[in-house]
Each structure stands twice: as structure tokens, then as C-alpha cells.
Amino acid sequence: MDPRSERIHNAASFVKEILDEKGLAPTVGIVLGSGLGRLVDDIKDPVTIPYKTIPGFPVSTAIGHKGNFIVGELAGKTVIAMQGRLHYYEGYDMDTVTLPIRVMKVIGIEYLFVSNAAGGVNTSFSIGDLMVITDHINQIPNPLIGPNLDEFGPRFPDMTRPYDHRLIALADEVAAELGIQLRKGVYLACTGPTYETPHEYKYMRIVGADAVGMSTTPEVIVARHADIPVFGVSVITDVAHEDEDSDYVTDGEEIVRQADAAATRMIALFKGIISRI
């Protein structure tokens, strides 16, 4: 067996054994970004599985990422939520960064919801906006480089619709009912861990990005490789500053605080969509 596949299945077997004992079979996977972990407070009868207890699993070291799987009921569905994701900038290879997505696939998820805290590149965006991701530009190494894992998907997966149109339409319905304003746009992922320079922001706007961050696209690519429909939201936690002489400084702690402030609307949106799928 491919060592990567063995690692995935060993981790999935460990998690599934715990869930089988509890009679839980998650159909929805959720990845929670920086400062957005409060969604787990709405999960009923939660079962917590720390990453550090799972064989072959890494731990999350980023600010605002606790490093647990949380499993339980949300909006009438059984979900498995990642309370903290893994990033390339932490020093993990791409197989490790995307390991949780493949583990969730083996466990049986049918949908993946992803969230992140992002910088607003689009000049019409404001701090606290929710941006539904309609497409992305990936500048992190592609997680499918290397021998293909045929059991998960094809060598050359189609990425014409990385974010599911039906789920986006449901988001529009839910947002209209709840009075939540949604932005829509393209998410650009770069490696980090540095924040963007003024001219990098200008470049990103020129190539068509509306928001920028350091995550998400590897998880989405692996999910689409495995034919899992994806819905994604960026919480705009800071906005582009292109004046090199200004005294503005991008602050990671402030980004987490802004994400937490917007989390209530994102949680309501996710719950509304999940209740309808």
C-alpha cells in the first residue's frame, strides 16, 4: 500500500472507531479558520478528538487554531468540524496539510464547508464582510503533485467549478432570509507566513483576486479530487493598505479578533445551508 494511503486509513480507522462507539456517521465536514472556532459551541452532544491522539496526525500551531476534531449534530446533520487547520507555512508538506480532508472522505463526508480569515483586496470590501468564495487562485504548491492516489480521484481532476453552485445558491437564499449581506469573489492563496506588501496587494487586484489568505485552496483541491462538493466563506478581517508611508501594521491578533466578531453571521449562514442539504 502507498505509505500516504496507509497513513490516511490508519488515522481514519482510529477516528471511525471512536465515532462508531457513539453511533455517529458524519456527512458534512467543516474546516474552521482563524478565530472562527466558535461554531463548535453550536454542535450538540459534541465528541472531541484531539489531533495529537490520532495516529500519524500533525498538530495545528497557528494562532486561533485549537487542533481538534469536533463531531456532533449541527442543524439536523451529523458534522465533523476541524477546530483549527494545518498550513504549509507551519512547515508541513502538502500531504500532511490535506490529510484531514482525506480522512474525512474515508469516514464518509458528502460535503465540505471551508472558512478562513482573509485580507480584503477588493477596495469595496470592509472589515467584517462575509465573502462567498466563487473561485480561487492557488499560489501554494498543489497537493496533488506526486504519484496520484487513484482510490481518491483521477490524475487530472477538473476544477471548472471548485465551489459548488448549488451550495452558493442556498447561501443566497439563507442570507436573504436572515438579512445577512454577502459579498462574492475570488480567493487568492499564498504560502505566508508574511502578510502582503503594498505592491503585492496591487498585483493581486490586477490578476483578479478579491481576498487573500494562507490556506483553503489545498483543502479544496483535495476535496474536489475526491468529488466532494465544497462551499467556502472568507471573513474579511483586514483590508489592503497600499500606502507604504502609512503607519498601518497588519496584526495577527487583531485579525483573530475581527474574525471572532463576524463569526456569529458565518455560523448562522453555515447552519442555514446545512439544514437544507
Side-chain angles (χ1 to χ4, degrees):
M1 178 184 285
D2 187 310
R4 298 170 299 163
S5 183
E6 185 174 9
R7 182 186 187 192
I8 293 163
H9 284 280
N10 285 344
S13 295
F14 177 88
V15 174
K16 196 170 187 306
E17 184 175 350
I18 294 172
L19 300 185
D20 286 348
E21 290 177 359
K22 303 289 185 180
L24 295 171
T27 57
V28 179
I30 304 172
V31 183
L32 297 170
S34 300
L36 299 169
R38 278 204 291 118
L39 179 141
V40 301
D41 296 337
D42 283 40
I43 296 176
K44 297 178 182 177
D45 302 317
V47 175
T48 301
I49 306 173
Y51 297 161
K52 63 184 179 182
T53 66
I54 302 172
F57 228 75
V59 295
S60 181
T61 66
I63 297 172
H65 294 253
K66 291 187 176 180
N68 300 307
F69 275 134
I70 308 292
V71 187
E73 182 187 332
L74 183 72
K77 303 292 192 304
T78 302
V79 306
I80 178 167
M82 289 181 65
Q83 192 181 30
R85 58 157 46 94
L86 307 163
H87 303 80
Y88 183 64
Y89 68 71
E90 294 175 80
Y92 296 123
D93 60 34
M94 296 312 293
D95 287 329
T96 300
V97 169
T98 56
L99 173 66
I101 307 304
R102 287 180 168 138
V103 167
M104 290 192 285
K105 169 66 176 181
V106 172
I107 289 170
I109 67 164
E110 299 170 4
Y111 299 92
L112 181 68
F113 285 63
V114 295
S115 64
N116 58 59
V121 177
N122 188 316
T123 56
S124 70
F125 287 180
S126 301
I127 292 174
D129 282 350
L130 299 184
M131 185 192 86
V132 173
I133 306 173
T134 57
D135 200 352
H136 70 229
I137 300 168
N138 181 49
Q139 294 192 339
I140 301 174
N142 193 301
L144 302 184
I145 292 172
N148 187 52
L149 286 170
D150 294 335
E151 65 179 293
F152 288 95
R155 169 76 285 188
F156 300 107
D158 176 52
M159 289 294 289
T160 308
R161 288 169 292 279
Y163 301 88
D164 189 78
H165 289 189
R166 173 175 169 262
L167 296 178
I168 292 173
L170 287 177
D172 288 336
E173 291 179 12
V174 171
E177 292 174 9
L178 297 179
I180 297 173
Q181 182 187 33
L182 294 180
R183 304 285 194 172
K184 290 182 181 175
V186 176
Y187 175 83
L188 187 149
C190 51
T191 63
T194 54
Y195 292 113
E196 294 69 38
T197 71
H199 278 76
E200 284 172 337
Y201 269 128
K202 290 179 182 178
Y203 161 77
M204 291 169 185
R205 185 175 299 118
I206 289 168
V207 300
D210 295 289
V212 59
M214 306 173 192
S215 67
T216 303
T217 55
E219 298 149 341
V220 173
I221 290 169
V222 164
R224 295 304 302 132
H225 179 242
D227 200 30
I228 301 171
V230 176
F231 177 76
V233 168
S234 292
V235 178
I236 305 303
T237 50
D238 67 315
V239 293
H241 283 261
E242 297 182 0
D243 181 359
E244 298 175 27
D245 297 324
S246 74
D247 59 0
Y248 179 82
V249 175
T250 308
D251 181 347
E253 297 284 356
E254 178 62 20
I255 284 171
V256 171
R257 284 192 289 272
Q258 292 296 339
D260 183 70
T264 299
R265 286 176 288 123
M266 190 203 76
I267 292 167
L269 181 67
F270 275 21
K271 288 171 67 176
I273 300 168
I274 289 170
S275 69
R276 301 176 190 214
I277 58 178

